[in-house]
Amino acid sequence: MAESPAGQLVFVTTPIGNARDITLRALDVLRAADVLVAEDTRTLRRLLEIHGVPLSGRPLYAYHDHSGDRDRARVRGALEQGLMVAYASEAGTPLIADPGYGLIAAAREVSATITATPGVSAAITALSLSGLPTDQFHFYGFLPSSKGARCKALEGLRPVPGTLVFYESPNRIGKALQDMANTLGPNRAAALCRELTKKFEEVVTGTLADLVTRSATATWKGEIVVLVGAEGAVEPDALDVDEALETALRDQSVKDAVAVVTEATGLPRRQIYQRALEILKDR
Ligand code: SAM
């Protein structure tokens, strides 16, 4: 008997707010898949509707954090038959603080190919907007909800030599920031990125102490990413980029001046280069 061809498991990244942040390839896969699997089937149904992708009688199964062997076996069975299975988590990139990990083993058991249609993730979007160094970062995801476990986890992150990235809930944000300030140090540069790609998108920057103070009066609702600079990272707002550029441009080429100030601030090179050109134009 001929062996059936290996199936294909595709992790499909979906938007984190703005429904148009879906890739054309993700839509192709959602159209072509034989079986659709989602953390929340209602959310995927809505996304398909928005983008005019018909379900056309194809099975749509749920697979989430509480899914057991039976749910995995169903996916494995489809892959074993040589089918294409598309998996989407609630939002963003599957497996990034989201379910999907257990499906890797299921797919490997039947030698199915595993691939992904990459796209947005809240962590990466927040890093781009935070103004904190992006050359090295450590993604932690959600801190433990109990204070003791949270502080212990933070203690372990103290020596990490890169920007720390946390997912946080609006109910706990004040307490989490306070614990971060106490454990990591109140002067660390930080950014709170909220409701990214949505109507009330907001990026608040300052030291951890500043954010703790602001959290006492602010109402930070919705979805939140907190980023904390490594020990010694410069708080971008506090550093006078223009002054540093003016000095460097006095006796160095634009390229060298940009390199020196990029190194000193940890800010993106493109941003510093742009500012250098503006300064030169105004001279
Ligand atoms: N898989 C997702 C990703 O790739 O980013 C993350 C899923 S995790 C269950 C949900 C958390 O991600 C939220 O509690 C929040 O911390 C963060 N998040 C998701 N969407 C966001 C957004 N639009 N703005 C800010 N944070 C967001």
Side-chain angles (χ1 to χ4, degrees), residues 259-281:
V260 166
V261 178
T262 302
E263 172 77 22
T265 58
L267 289 170
R269 189 187 169 283
R270 205 158 42 101
Q271 186 180 326
I272 302 292
Y273 181 67
Q274 196 57 42
R275 191 62 203 132
L277 293 185
E278 286 164 8
I279 288 173
L280 288 173
K281 207 172 121 210

Side-chain angles (χ1 to χ4, degrees), residues 62-101:
Y63 183 84
H64 41 69
D65 280 335
H66 308 291
S67 291
D69 288 344
R70 235 182 50 189
D71 300 300
R72 267 184 295 279
R74 191 162 51 183
V75 171
R76 196 176 51 228
L79 294 170
E80 208 166 15
Q81 287 174 51
L83 300 178
M84 185 204 270
V85 177
Y87 178 72
S89 59
E90 170 71 25
T93 305
L95 285 87
I96 302 301
D98 257 352
Y101 186 72

